[in-house]
Amino acid sequence: MSTIIDAQPRGAVQESINGPEQTDDGAFKRQPNRFTARFSTGELPVKAGRYRLVVSAVCGWSRRQIIVRRLLGLEDAISISYVSGRGDDGGWVFADQPGGRDPVLGFKRLNDAYRTAEPGYRGRGTVPALVDTRTGAVVTNDYHTLSLELETAWKPFHRAGAPDLYPKDLRPRIDLLNQQLFDDVNNGPYKVLFATSPEAAKVARAVFEARLRDYDHRLATRRYLFGDRLTDSDIRLWVTLASFDQTYVTGYPEAVRDTALRVRDLPNLWAYARDLFQRPGFVDERDTEALGITPGPDGSYLGGFGEATDAASGDRLAAWSEPAGREGLSGADATAGPGGAGTDQYWAFAPGRVPIV
């Protein structure tokens, strides 16, 4: 199997629906998601077989939804399609599909689904995108909330024994931690990669590394971020940890790359990452190649921005397969992290927050 990878120059800054994804001081500012309809509010009907999840194997935002879909057993309820590579317009294309066309949606370009939803759409057609197979229109590309919707509104279609990834008693604290994870960890490497000033890159790297050290300490006594319960937050953290050493850091500017902290430098975090890697549902063959953990057909490993690297680093899969030794950890769900001082009770009253029940 071969994955066609999107290649983009280091430090390139995209145009978003709101203009350049850049602040005046040289920092990266990610574009907001355009389509944010939700199932839990009744905006979208929960109907098995109606939607198609369009993803990219090399995209961390996609990988989160892929894992949740597997863990919850939603494969029969929501079909999946992989994009690979970019077309002439810079948008994702279905290059690996027969004839270069999605067999269900009939599109060659993901941007066609965006323009079906909004004629004249000029933003980047991003993944993951959930598409209505009846109309061919994107109904949501909001990776912030999509996994939460799968975990709650789609519960009637969960497999027997599926984990409760968004338990009611932890939701306010999960929401707070997820916000921190997005800003400082999931988006953290991009703030380094796409910064256009050295100072912005250094500051972003410092924040990202401080957060990793914080979670390394937290995971010294807990198997998962909230004790002995696997939650949505663990999946969000893991997708960045799984990619960082092999791909993200290889694209860092030279001035900050060689001295950058690696996940493997933090013993608890590295063991935690291996623990989840070895858990059924987190990876398949396509994922390990996209993560740069196993080589492609030509023997090279994926690096940052689709750049191939040689195998000089040794057997990466063997390293990821080493026993994690975390089975005996439980720990309390109470932490000194976001909401640790009881402020999670106020989070429910934040403007614009839509409670999920």
Side-chain angles (χ1 to χ4, degrees), residues 16-276:
S16 78
I17 54 179
N18 292 331
E21 294 186 275
Q22 202 74 34
T23 63
D24 292 339
D25 54 7
F28 173 61
K29 179 186 67 174
R30 184 175 294 277
Q31 77 167 19
N33 296 315
R34 182 75 158 197
F35 302 97
T36 59
R38 299 177 70 165
F39 296 97
S40 57
T41 60
E43 296 169 88
L44 297 172
V46 178
K47 292 188 177 182
R50 179 161 171 175
Y51 304 98
R52 191 158 176 81
L53 179 62
V54 181
V55 295
S56 166
V58 299
C59 168
W61 318 113
S62 291
R63 199 170 298 119
R64 181 196 306 168
Q65 321 306 328
I66 295 168
I67 293 169
V68 168
R69 177 176 172 270
R70 285 187 194 132
L71 292 177
L72 300 180
L74 290 172
E75 293 93 334
D76 292 336
I78 301 173
S79 65
I80 196 166
S81 180
Y82 285 83
V83 291
S84 52
R86 300 277 182 167
D88 294 339
D89 61 356
W92 290 106
V93 294
F94 297 93
D96 278 351
Q97 304 288 358
R101 187 184 300 275
D102 182 89
V104 174
L105 302 175
F107 296 141
K108 288 190 172 184
R109 301 176 178 84
L110 177 58
N111 280 343
D112 291 340
Y114 276 83
R115 292 175 186 133
T116 299
E118 183 179 308
Y121 180 77
R122 298 178 60 84
R124 285 190 290 116
T126 58
V127 288
L130 197 66
V131 181
D132 188 334
T133 59
R134 295 189 318 165
T135 64
V138 171
V139 294
T140 180
N141 70 336
D142 192 352
Y143 50 81
H144 297 295
T145 61
L146 181 54
S147 62
L148 304 180
E149 297 290 286
L150 300 180
E151 293 156 8
T152 54
W154 284 81
K155 187 164 285 190
F157 297 100
H158 290 184
R159 65 170 173 80
D164 185 358
L165 299 174
Y166 196 48
K168 286 186 177 181
D169 63 310
L170 291 179
R171 288 180 188 179
R173 280 185 283 165
I174 288 173
D175 290 348
L176 279 171
L177 185 59
N178 284 354
Q179 180 67 57
Q180 184 185 79
L181 282 166
F182 170 74
D183 284 330
D184 296 347
V185 178
N186 301 145
N187 207 28
Y190 296 99
K191 292 180 180 180
V192 180
L193 291 163
F194 297 145
T196 56
S197 79
E199 185 62 26
K202 290 177 182 178
V203 168
R205 197 194 86 170
V207 171
F208 175 74
E209 293 181 355
R211 194 59 64 207
L212 293 190
R213 290 188 175 96
D214 179 21
Y215 296 144
D216 183 69
H217 171 73
R218 180 171 181 159
L219 291 164
T221 56
R222 301 165 180 82
R223 186 172 186 182
Y224 307 116
L225 289 168
F226 288 99
D228 59 358
R229 286 187 280 180
L230 179 75
T231 68
D232 182 87
S233 297
D234 292 294
I235 298 168
R236 294 178 190 234
L237 173 58
W238 186 82
V239 295
T240 298
L241 300 182
S243 299
F244 187 73
D245 287 8
Q246 298 89 222
T247 61
Y248 281 129
V249 76
T250 65
Y252 269 21
E254 186 175 354
V256 297
R257 183 170 64 246
D258 293 343
T259 57
L261 183 72
R262 268 65 169 178
V263 173
R264 297 185 193 206
D265 296 332
L266 299 168
N268 301 315
L269 205 62
W270 171 224
Y272 165 84
R274 299 197 314 274
D275 190 16
L276 294 181

